[in-house]
């Protein structure tokens, strides 16, 4: 009976191992930057969000709050949101990568993961810009957009990419 479940167990074991390795590596990275405020990757995203907002005619600046490991977005002469480590979508990307590599299909796995991470990075950047614009223009909708609309956008993107991977790559039979 266990023989019937061997492929599924293999995929599940691969997923768990990859997820844990990436999660521990990320935690190691975070622990190494703890004394300097917001981690470097999140700071890069905050700077890029700030630049995009300025291009979109939403005059923006960043305020460092090193002690609390966050950066505040100052948009249109008001503090609208703060960037913390959880806003960088790394945990979402770790989950995504673990799932894709659980269904490993050779070199195309690396290409798909690379392209997908670029898409997820851009989606996350636009998510934060969108939240800052909503908070600057319609603060009364801020909680709804933060808690529901924008998480749905980022997680929805992950699900769509997973479905693309499964339908067009993982389950596609190679013709010899």
């Amino acid at each position: 009976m266990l023989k019937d479940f061997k492929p599924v167990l293999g995929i599940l074991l691969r997923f768990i191992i990859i997820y844990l390795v990436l999660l521990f590596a990320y935690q190691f990275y975070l622990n190494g930057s703890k004394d300097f405020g917001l981690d470097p990757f999140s700071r890069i995203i905050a700077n890029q969000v700030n630049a995009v907002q300025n291009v979109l005619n939403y005059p923006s600046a960043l305020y460092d709050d090193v002690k609390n490991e966050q950066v505040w977005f100052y948009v249109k002469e008001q503090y609208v949101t703060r960037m913390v480590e959880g806003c960088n979508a790394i945990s979402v990307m770790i989950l995504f990568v673990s799932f894709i590599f659980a269904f490993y299909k050779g070199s195309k796995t690396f290409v798909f993961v690379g392209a997908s991470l670029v898409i997820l990075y851009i989606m996350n950047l636009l998510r934060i810009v969108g939240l800052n614009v909503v908070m600057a223009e319609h603060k009364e909708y801020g909680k709804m957009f933060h808690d529901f609309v924008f998480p749905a956008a980022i997680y929805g993107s992950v699900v769509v990419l997973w479905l693309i991977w499964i339908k067009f790559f993982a389950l596609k039979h190679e013709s010899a």
Side-chain angles (χ1 to χ4, degrees), residues 11 14-16 18-20 22-23 89-104 108-121 123 154-166 169:
I11 290 169
R14 239 185 342 255
F15 171 81
I16 291 169
I18 293 166
Y19 181 76
L20 290 175
L22 292 175
L23 191 64
I90 293 293
S91 56
V92 173
M93 292 178 192
I94 287 172
L95 185 65
F96 173 79
V97 168
S98 301
F99 179 83
I100 298 300
F101 274 100
F103 293 89
Y104 182 77
K108 63 184 168 186
T109 309
F110 290 95
V111 173
F112 186 82
V113 164
S116 297
L117 288 177
V118 169
I119 291 168
L120 291 175
Y121 185 90
M123 285 296 298
I154 195 78
Y155 287 114
S157 300
V158 167
V159 169
V160 167
L161 290 168
W162 279 344
L163 291 173
I164 290 169
W165 173 252
I166 292 299
F169 298 99

Side-chain angles (χ1 to χ4, degrees), residues 31-159:
N31 291 342
S33 63
K34 194 169 184 77
D35 297 332
F36 306 106
L38 191 61
D39 67 281
F41 186 75
S42 297
R43 186 170 301 281
I44 289 169
I45 292 173
N47 287 327
Q48 291 173 341
V49 166
N50 191 52
V52 169
Q53 289 170 181
N54 282 311
V55 166
L56 294 176
N57 204 23
Y58 281 89
S60 303
L62 297 174
Y63 169 74
D64 262 327
D65 184 359
V66 174
K67 180 183 74 142
N68 293 316
E69 299 178 16
Q70 61 189 5
V71 171
W72 285 90
F73 289 102
Y74 188 73
V75 181
K76 294 181 84 175
E77 300 181 7
Q78 60 182 329
Y79 290 104
V80 292
T81 62
R82 62 190 176 100
M83 173 88 177
V84 297
E85 174 272 325
C87 300
N88 65 20
I90 293 293
S91 56
V92 173
M93 292 178 192
I94 287 172
L95 185 65
F96 173 79
V97 168
S98 301
F99 179 83
I100 298 300
F101 274 100
F103 293 89
Y104 182 77
K105 293 294 180 184
S107 61
K108 63 184 168 186
T109 309
F110 290 95
V111 173
F112 186 82
V113 164
S116 297
L117 288 177
V118 169
I119 291 168
L120 291 175
Y121 185 90
I122 292 168
M123 285 296 298
N124 188 53
L125 204 71
L126 295 175
R127 175 185 73 88
I128 298 168
V129 168
L131 180 60
N132 286 339
V133 168
V134 167
M135 291 300 288
E137 296 291 336
H138 302 283
K139 196 173 194 117
E140 65 273 16
Y141 299 114
K143 182 164 177 47
M144 179 183 67
F145 273 79
H146 178 272
D147 294 350
F148 302 108
V149 175
F150 290 124
I154 195 78
Y155 287 114
S157 300
V158 167
V159 169

